[in-house]
Amino acid sequence: MACIIKSPSSKFKGVITITNLEFLKIKLNLNSISELKKNWILLYHPNYYDYNFINRGIFDGYLASKITFKVKDDAEDKILNLSCHNFAPEYFGASNDKKIYDFVGLSKLQTSKGNPKNVVEFLTIVKNAMDIKKNISGVLIISVPGTRPFKTNYIRSIYNRMFSEEQKKRFEFITLDYDVPFPLSLKTISLFYKNSKVHLNTHPKERHGRAQTYALACSIPIVGFENLTDLVEEKYRKEPYYFIANEIEQFPNKLVEAIDYVDNKYDKSAHNELAQNFKSFNSFKILKEKLIKNFSLDDKGWNFTDDQLLTLDALNILTLED
């Protein structure tokens, strides 16, 4: 979401972040860009990977990772190496309470991108893991876009055929087909993460993503493919932070290994160290320091909170297409 993270004053500029989604809708010409930049620092925030971005002198910096974002006509040091994934709200954090679930999964049913295949694979992994560890428990939460209730009924029919009534008591499959893509608040999602030992993520191509960000912020290990580890520094791309499966058939054993690690060998301090990189409070301090240094800004007018960001269209700063 595009937002204002610092308001301008009479002597200092403000800071706006604009995602690629809003950028496609904004009606801008060179004159309006020049006028806008008199009072604002413009940061670009891509929602996905982009290795060939052409800036054309529009943006002053990039709220993105150097691993998954490249600019063809600008300096690499303008990439701040921070993104929305570093800003998990305060609700996400390590919990000392006894865990309710062995694992948690969070996904979306997207027929155009390979799901429901990926969701069915997730269900199969859990089914096979139950053959290894009989008392395993967990929850998978997915949003289901499309005409209600047909897709929901379809994916739930697979779950109902695959698991016995006793198994369904230990593995809950929550399918949400309202207010898609965000039917649950982050505060509610955090309850599942903080009460789980492990995050199970079967995405075959994702190189970051908020689903695993929440797990890292909660100091719990992740079971997934190696591509997920691009979100963290190289020293963390291994166990016990990530239990990496090289192929889908390895997931059940890796899931059981990760759960056993939390039950018997969990290193709280190691996970808490990594978690600091994904907590909004810490990341905002880093972002603020970088912006003040890079653009000679003052210490006033910073608007960042976990719960609310001032939107561009609400303040009528830019004209958006319908």
Side-chain angles (χ1 to χ4, degrees):
M1 180 180 71
C3 64
I4 296 170
I5 59 174
K6 184 189 184 304
S7 301
S9 64
S10 58
K11 295 183 179 180
F12 297 93
K13 292 183 177 182
V15 182
I16 301 174
T17 65
I18 302 174
T19 71
N20 56 300
L21 300 179
E22 286 91 11
F23 187 52
L24 292 173
K25 299 179 180 180
I26 295 173
K27 299 175 181 176
L28 284 178
N29 56 48
L30 293 178
N31 290 332
S32 63
I33 292 171
S34 298
E35 192 65 26
L36 186 66
K37 293 178 72 169
K38 289 179 181 179
N39 295 309
W40 299 93
I41 303 295
L42 301 186
L43 301 181
Y44 182 67
H45 190 308
N47 279 339
Y48 211 63
Y49 326 127
D50 192 339
Y51 305 102
N52 297 290
F53 183 73
I54 300 176
N55 184 31
R56 299 185 178 90
I58 296 174
F59 293 100
D60 303 295
Y62 311 94
L63 196 59
S65 165
K66 291 183 178 180
I67 296 175
T68 56
F69 183 76
K70 307 292 181 185
V71 190
K72 298 189 75 172
D73 60 345
D74 210 348
E76 184 182 7
D77 60 9
K78 291 186 180 180
I79 302 174
L80 297 169
N81 221 25
L82 288 167
S83 72
C84 62
H85 305 95
N86 297 99
F87 293 85
E90 62 180 352
Y91 323 123
F92 295 91
S95 172
N96 294 322
D97 296 335
K98 184 177 180 180
K99 304 296 185 180
I100 298 173
Y101 304 106
D102 285 324
F103 67 89
V104 60
L106 183 68
S107 189
K108 177 182 178 182
L109 191 74
Q110 294 178 306
T111 53
S112 63
K113 295 184 179 180
N115 290 347
K117 175 187 174 184
N118 291 345
V119 173
V120 174
E121 285 179 339
F122 192 109
L123 299 179
T124 303
I125 288 166
V126 175
K127 178 71 172 178
N128 291 338
M130 284 180 163
D131 292 336
I132 303 171
K133 188 178 179 73
K134 300 296 182 183
N135 62 344
I136 196 170
S137 66
V139 58
L140 170 61
I141 307 164
I142 68 168
S143 57
V144 186
T147 305
R148 303 171 66 186
F150 302 108
K151 288 188 177 181
T152 302
N153 289 347
Y154 166 72
I155 198 66
R156 292 204 65 82
S157 69
I158 297 175
Y159 167 73
N160 289 328
R161 289 196 304 270
M162 192 176 292
F163 296 91
S164 68
E165 292 303 314
E166 279 301 311
Q167 289 173 326
K168 284 190 283 187
K169 291 178 182 178
R170 289 185 281 115
F171 170 48
E172 298 181 64
F173 184 35
I174 300 175
T175 48
L176 305 171
D177 56 8
Y178 59 89
D179 296 338
V180 175
F182 304 115
L184 297 180
S185 69
L186 292 181
K187 186 179 292 187
T188 300
I189 292 172
S190 73
L191 297 176
F192 291 97
Y193 275 84
K194 289 195 294 187
N195 284 289
S196 298
K197 299 174 186 176
V198 171
H199 171 52
L200 177 58
N201 189 319
T202 61
H203 202 297
K205 296 180 181 179
E206 182 70 75
R207 298 180 68 187
H208 37 60
R210 298 189 189 191
Q212 66 157 325
T213 290
Y214 302 148
L216 294 171
C218 288
S219 299
I220 63 175
I222 295 168
V223 179
F225 286 115
E226 187 176 13
N227 48 274
L228 294 177
T229 66
D230 281 350
L231 186 61
V232 301
E233 297 176 53
E234 191 168 351
K235 65 179 179 179
Y236 296 118
R237 298 176 185 175
K238 59 183 180 181
E239 296 181 11
Y241 313 100
Y242 287 87
F243 287 75
I244 298 169
N246 296 317
E247 53 191 9
I248 201 73
E249 290 77 14
Q250 294 179 352
F251 268 87
N253 282 310
K254 287 295 181 181
L255 177 58
V256 172
E257 287 177 23
I259 294 167
D260 287 344
Y261 157 73
V262 175
D263 285 339
N264 301 303
K265 303 177 184 177
Y266 181 69
D267 186 344
K268 181 178 179 180
S269 61
H271 287 277
N272 285 349
E273 176 185 294
L274 173 57
Q276 301 313 307
N277 298 323
F278 298 94
K279 295 180 180 294
S280 61
F281 178 77
N282 294 326
S283 296
F284 183 64
K285 287 195 297 184
I286 295 171
L287 175 61
K288 183 178 176 181
E289 289 171 1
K290 287 185 176 184
L291 294 177
I292 288 175
K293 179 181 177 181
N294 292 357
F295 301 108
S296 301
L297 301 176
D298 64 333
D299 195 44
K300 298 179 180 179
W302 298 88
N303 299 313
F304 184 92
T305 68
D306 278 341
D307 295 316
Q308 183 176 9
L309 295 173
L310 302 177
T311 58
L312 298 180
D313 51 348
L315 295 178
N316 297 316
I317 290 174
L318 300 176
T319 303
L320 302 181
E321 295 178 349
D322 295 331

